[in-house]
Amino acid sequence: DTGVSQDPRHKITKRGQNVTFRCDPISEHNRLYWYRQTLGQGPEFLTYFQNEAQLEKSRLLSDRFSAERPKGSFSTLEIQRTEQGDSAMYLCASSSQAFDRGREKLFFGSGTQLSVL
Amino acid sequence: AQSVTQLGSHVSVSEGALVLLRCNYSSSVPPYLFWYVQYPNQGLQLLLKYTTGATLVKGINGFEAEFKKSETSFHLTKPSAHMSDAAEYFCAVSGRTGANSKLTFGKGITLSVRP
């Protein structure tokens, strides 16, 4: 178990630029989640994949945000035309279907800290 | 739909004192309940979870929480606070099946421990 990996750890960009983050879940996990956390707040759900299918998207995920999980393994989260309000920690988590039987937890990565100047 | 309410944003206790962090939830389906801790500049770490069975759940670092369905609560306690417990604590709720497996978090409570 190598854990959930996120890359990069930090990203500084100028307003209007596009950014892309990557998440590598634990290899046998078929579920993948993206969350956003701003200072002083709890993580907010953005989107959920089961294998390669994106099954749920939060209203927080505006048209500027897109997430993919092309082969059901790693995932990318892209933000187009970044705004200062996009500055946050973007967290990825993964789990297997054992979660449904109460036998597992969500495993979180360390996150990507985005700063939009 | 699920939601979590964590009353108060900051709790301060003396070292050795009881820690009580409150969490109330709302869920349209039978919930799973979680407490996570986040230390400065670190990721989320699971303290404990309730899924089924015994309603008093013991976690790491001496923490425990009790699921009270009638009160829709899942308060976190620790009998004696330690300086190393200073951190941000998040309560979270989820459903029990794939479509509802995403966690919904509260806003978090910052715990400070005074010497």
Side-chain angles (χ1 to χ4, degrees), chain B:
Chain B
Q2 289 99 23
S3 67
V4 169
T5 301
Q6 293 185 252
L7 291 176
S9 59
H10 187 218
V11 170
S12 180
V13 300
S14 298
E15 191 173 20
L18 171 72
V19 175
L20 170 60
L21 303 181
R22 299 180 185 275
C23 172
N24 288 88
Y25 71 92
S26 173
S27 179
S28 56
V29 297
Y32 286 167
L33 293 157
F34 307 82
W35 276 99
Y36 279 83
V37 62
Q38 189 173 38
Y39 298 99
N41 300 314
Q42 293 190 27
L44 290 163
Q45 181 180 2
L46 181 67
L47 275 178
L48 49 79
K49 65 177 181 179
Y50 168 79
T51 54
T52 57
T55 55
L56 182 62
V57 180
K58 296 186 184 299
I60 61 172
N61 301 339
F63 284 93
E64 61 183 37
E66 186 170 12
F67 170 58
K68 291 187 176 180
K69 184 178 179 181
S70 61
E71 298 177 9
T72 60
S73 69
F74 192 58
H75 303 328
L76 182 71
T77 60
K78 181 174 180 177
S80 177
H82 192 273
M83 297 296 291
S84 61
D85 295 327
E88 188 90 12
Y89 290 80
F90 296 97
C91 182
V93 63
S94 79
R96 299 184 174 195
T97 61
N100 296 309
S101 63
K102 69 177 188 290
L103 266 63
T104 299
F105 287 84
K107 292 187 176 183
I109 298 174
T110 301
L111 176 66
S112 300
V113 182
R114 303 185 301 271

Side-chain angles (χ1 to χ4, degrees), chain A residues 35-96:
Chain A
Y35 285 83
R36 180 174 69 186
Q37 185 178 18
T38 54
L39 201 61
Q41 299 294 319
E44 297 172 296
F45 170 77
L46 292 178
T47 190
Y48 159 59
F49 289 86
Q50 180 153 317
N51 301 311
E52 65 276 9
Q54 188 174 20
L55 298 185
E56 188 172 350
K57 288 170 43 173
S58 163
R59 294 175 185 175
L60 294 174
L61 218 63
S62 75
D63 291 344
R64 296 184 298 105
F65 288 70
S66 62
E68 294 182 343
R69 195 182 182 198
K71 297 183 179 179
S73 56
F74 73 91
S75 176
T76 57
L77 178 67
E78 181 183 16
I79 308 175
Q80 296 182 329
R81 305 180 303 281
T82 53
E83 301 173 355
Q84 288 185 325
D86 297 331
S87 296
M89 175 75 81
Y90 289 84
L91 297 168
C92 178
S94 70
S95 75
S96 74

